[in-house]
Amino acid sequence: MNKLQTGILVLLMPAMGFAQQSLKVNIDASQAPQLQGWCEQAKSEMEAWFPRLINLMAPEGESMPSEINFQIKDSNDGVAYTAGTQMVAMSGWVTSHPEDIGLTIHELVHVVQHYPTYNPAWVVEGLADYFRWGIYEGKPLSWFPQSSKKNGYEDSYQVTAGFFLWLERGPAPGIVRQLDSAMRKKDYDERIFRDCSGKSLDNLWKDYVKARKG
Ligand SMILES: [Zn+2]
């Protein structure tokens, strides 16, 4: 990059509201040293995506951690979890799914979320999978699993993520940021869906099921 380009970037960055937050991921692979290389890859993805996630979400002045600890646990039980700034992935899962680096992006969303409540869980997990599969992996809508249940949006994870992706691209652009913002204030309410689209959550879901069938 030449001097002129650098100068333009410096000028533009504050005006465009780019977050400056950077993240350092501390790896602990002592329980499964053979996965050190996998951890290094995950670390570099997470450190690259942390500021992007902050920009896509609505932490509005909330302070974000500058470091997190990422540990591989020697276990065949489960996939991964995050509590505050402690992220854990299980060696059994990682060994049998080495391509699943993106699981750490899902967990990283939980770090940025840091919501005061896990309720409703389908919104929390739906958003985490929206950012992981819809944004980070860039999967097309047709990739996302469907549910024909009446309240299928409550199926959470990938089902809800597909619904959010469809809402963002069609009837309710901006809804993801609205949901994230409300969750931070313990202010989630179904009316957010109507505010963003003019339609109720149940009617939006019906439209989504129809659109996916069509
Ligand atoms: Zn999760």
Side-chain angles (χ1 to χ4, degrees), residues 23-134:
L23 181 74
K24 182 168 176 264
V25 176
N26 302 311
I27 296 170
D28 175 4
S30 55
Q31 290 187 26
Q34 74 281 9
L35 295 174
Q36 180 72 32
W38 190 89
C39 290
E40 301 284 351
Q41 276 184 61
K43 170 188 164 79
S44 100
E45 291 299 290
M46 284 194 275
E47 290 178 348
W49 276 81
F50 186 71
R52 293 174 196 162
L53 289 172
I54 290 173
N55 280 321
L56 292 165
M57 295 165 78
E60 291 156 15
E62 259 175 63
S63 74
M64 287 287 138
S66 55
E67 292 189 26
I68 62 167
N69 297 320
F70 177 48
Q71 188 197 7
I72 297 281
K73 216 176 194 169
D74 183 20
S75 168
N76 288 317
D77 190 15
V79 179
Y81 65 84
T82 296
T85 56
Q86 306 299 314
M87 188 185 295
V88 177
M90 306 307 163
S91 63
W93 178 270
V94 172
T95 302
S96 55
H97 303 81
E99 74 293 346
D100 198 8
I101 292 270
L103 77 85
T104 61
I105 300 297
H106 175 109
E107 295 304 319
L108 190 63
V109 173
H110 289 323
V111 173
V112 179
Q113 286 176 324
H114 197 59
Y115 297 151
T117 166
Y118 192 67
N119 180 35
W122 64 268
V123 173
V124 182
E125 296 301 344
L127 288 173
D129 260 3
Y130 165 82
F131 286 112
R132 187 247 160 114
W133 294 106

Side-chain angles (χ1 to χ4, degrees), residues 174-192:
I175 187 137
V176 161
R177 193 183 284 270
Q178 294 297 323
L179 288 170
D180 180 60
S181 173
M183 289 298 295
R184 290 174 191 282
K185 298 170 196 145
K186 266 184 148 173
D187 194 27
Y188 168 79
D189 190 288
E190 265 189 44
R191 74 178 145 66
I192 296 166

Side-chain angles (χ1 to χ4, degrees), residues 164-210:
F164 287 166
L165 187 64
W166 176 79
L167 287 171
E168 275 288 337
R169 289 178 179 178
I175 187 137
V176 161
R177 193 183 284 270
Q178 294 297 323
L179 288 170
D180 180 60
S181 173
M183 289 298 295
R184 290 174 191 282
K185 298 170 196 145
K186 266 184 148 173
D187 194 27
Y188 168 79
D189 190 288
E190 265 189 44
R191 74 178 145 66
I192 296 166
F193 290 87
R194 191 181 287 281
D195 289 349
C196 287
S197 71
K199 284 187 171 184
S200 70
L201 172 57
D202 286 333
N203 281 333
L204 286 167
W205 176 255
K206 272 184 214 160
D207 289 352
Y208 174 63
V209 171
K210 223 185 282 170

